Amino acid sequence: MDFTFNEEQLALRDSVSRFLMNEAAPELLREIWETGGGRAPELRAKFAQQGVTALSVPEAYGGLGLADVDWALITEELGYYAIPDSLADTVYVATGLLCAVPEAESLRAQWLPGIAAGTARVSIEHPVNPWVADAHLADLVLAFRTEADGILELHALAGAGLARSAIGSIDGSRRLSVLAQQPLDASTRLLRGEAARTIAEATLDRATVAVAGQLVGLAQRMLDLSVDYAAQRKQFGRPIGSFQAVKHHLADVVTRIEFARPVLYRAALALQRNERDRAALVSHAKLACAEAAWTAARKGIQVHGASGYTWEVDLQMFMKRAWVLDAAWGDRGFHKARLGEALLRDDAPLGPAATLY
């Protein structure tokens, strides 16, 4: 399978990368981690000026209407710079959810122009992901709730006034909350039953691909930081990067990243095509990308001589983001179980011919 991106996709990726290089320096990350809200409104405004907040919004609502494969590259950049903003949650995942619900036409007209303009934040509560990111700032919360009768429902809740409890996170710019499970009625309900379950599964897969892309970006950033450190730090009069043991550590990370990227792109393509084995491919991508990020963090700490844990070293911010995202939208146990279930089906498409179709 050819995973070559076209010139427009690569140009968009490069444009986002140049913007983040200037606007999301590690010094800014440290400042935002120490703020109460963990977010920088001025950074969100700059995203909007660059058109990043409009990428997934359909053209009819003022956006560019990009698809899942385009986002695979963008999420890598968001991870590489560990942006202190839940941009992918609102602009990619929540927008996809709103566009997939036939009954949400009035919500699309109300919220999508604001998302494109960078003035609206949307958070998602999901049974797999009960800790809701940025609920303290959300204008709208899209909540999947299992009612007392065991039936799943999707509700659209106004963010202001929602009762919530804050949850601590080692990633200083990821603010999590648990929403109070007060009874909900038909006035906020969008979907119920099988229709809600189908949308919930699609939302889980889209969010998981977004997280997997960020994990690959984080792995690449931690590798780059470790290579720079190994080139500058000297022992016995030589850069430590010249020693074979250090080279092996870094080569292990390169291998993990190179094996994870095509799996991510394959999952994004399956998501865009809504293929039958979409869930298994998405879980495979999450597992491969998480392993790349964990390897990059572990090897990075060793290359940095354990100083990578300390606040003064940039590596610790990217490492903590990777640890947190590893557990977001399903931990490794969840995705291993989902992948195992798909592989053990009697009609599971196995072997190289099935993998590279």
Side-chain angles (χ1 to χ4, degrees):
M1 180 170 284
D2 183 4
F3 286 124
T4 304
F5 290 90
N6 62 39
E7 292 184 3
E8 288 78 11
Q9 291 169 322
L10 295 175
L12 176 61
R13 186 271 313 272
D14 293 343
S15 174
V16 171
S17 180
R18 287 193 296 272
F19 169 72
L20 293 175
M21 185 185 302
N22 294 324
E23 302 295 342
E27 293 75 17
L28 176 67
L29 267 60
R30 282 191 171 81
E31 291 178 10
I32 294 176
W33 276 34
E34 295 180 331
T35 63
R39 292 288 174 263
E42 59 276 14
L43 180 60
R44 173 59 71 101
K46 290 178 180 177
F47 278 130
Q49 291 171 1
Q50 293 294 318
V52 179
T53 54
L55 292 180
S56 274
V57 176
E59 294 181 10
Y61 299 99
L64 300 176
L66 294 189
D68 299 293
V69 172
D70 302 304
W71 269 97
L73 291 175
I74 302 301
T75 53
E76 281 189 63
E77 296 306 314
L78 299 181
Y80 188 86
Y81 292 98
I83 63 156
D85 196 291
S86 56
L87 187 73
D89 291 354
T90 291
V91 177
Y92 177 48
V93 183
T95 296
L97 197 167
L98 286 172
C99 291
V101 179
E103 294 81 355
E105 179 53 43
S106 61
L107 286 176
R108 286 192 284 273
Q110 180 181 357
W111 292 105
L112 290 184
I115 292 174
T119 57
R121 289 182 186 270
V122 185
S123 294
I124 300 173
E125 183 190 42
H126 192 283
V128 172
N129 208 39
W131 295 353
V132 184
D134 275 13
H136 64 303
L137 297 174
D139 303 294
L140 173 70
V141 175
L142 298 170
F144 290 96
R145 295 277 176 89
T146 302
E147 298 303 300
D149 55 6
I151 296 177
L152 187 68
E153 294 185 348
L154 171 61
H155 290 264
L157 310 174
L162 274 179
R164 61 180 70 86
S165 301
I167 300 294
S169 173
I170 59 171
D171 177 359
S173 63
R174 186 170 173 82
R175 304 302 164 93
L176 304 173
S177 302
V178 175
L179 303 184
Q181 297 293 303
Q182 70 270 25
L184 300 175
D185 56 36
S187 64
T188 61
R189 186 169 61 215
L190 294 176
L191 293 173
R192 177 176 168 82
E194 189 57 32
R197 188 164 303 283
T198 299
I199 296 296
E201 291 172 356
T203 300
L204 168 63
D205 288 340
R206 182 166 286 108
T208 302
V209 166
V211 168
Q214 293 177 72
L215 285 168
V216 166
L218 286 161
Q220 185 64 56
R221 183 61 175 271
M222 289 186 279
L223 172 64
D224 291 348
L225 289 171
S226 299
V227 169
D228 288 345
Y229 182 82
Q232 297 173 19
R233 181 78 167 91
K234 293 185 177 179
Q235 284 286 340
F236 310 111
R238 298 166 54 191
I240 62 172
S242 65
F243 298 120
Q244 196 71 2
V246 175
K247 290 180 181 178
H248 283 172
H249 281 322
L250 299 174
D252 286 344
V253 181
V254 172
T255 302
R256 292 289 185 185
I257 293 173
E258 291 304 310
F259 273 91
R261 277 206 172 102
V263 180
L264 167 67
Y265 301 154
R266 180 68 184 91
L269 184 62
L271 190 59
Q272 186 166 305
R273 292 176 174 175
N274 194 25
E275 296 179 6
R276 179 190 174 197
D277 296 309
R278 180 192 74 195
L281 292 166
V282 168
S283 287
H284 185 194
K286 175 73 183 297
L287 292 168
C289 296
E291 185 59 34
W294 270 85
T295 302
R298 187 170 62 251
K299 300 294 186 180
I301 290 171
Q302 290 175 305
V303 170
H304 280 74
S307 66
Y309 279 115
T310 60
W311 175 258
E312 291 76 12
V313 177
D314 292 343
L315 180 72
Q316 54 94 13
M317 293 185 290
F318 303 95
M319 179 178 65
K320 291 171 181 172
R321 174 67 58 87
W323 289 346
V324 169
L325 290 183
D326 182 31
W329 292 98
D331 59 16
R332 294 198 196 193
F334 172 84
H335 286 289
K336 284 181 178 178
R338 205 163 71 140
L339 182 58
E341 182 180 345
L343 292 175
L344 293 175
R345 278 198 338 252
D346 291 338
D347 60 343
L350 302 177
T355 304
L356 302 177
Y357 60 92

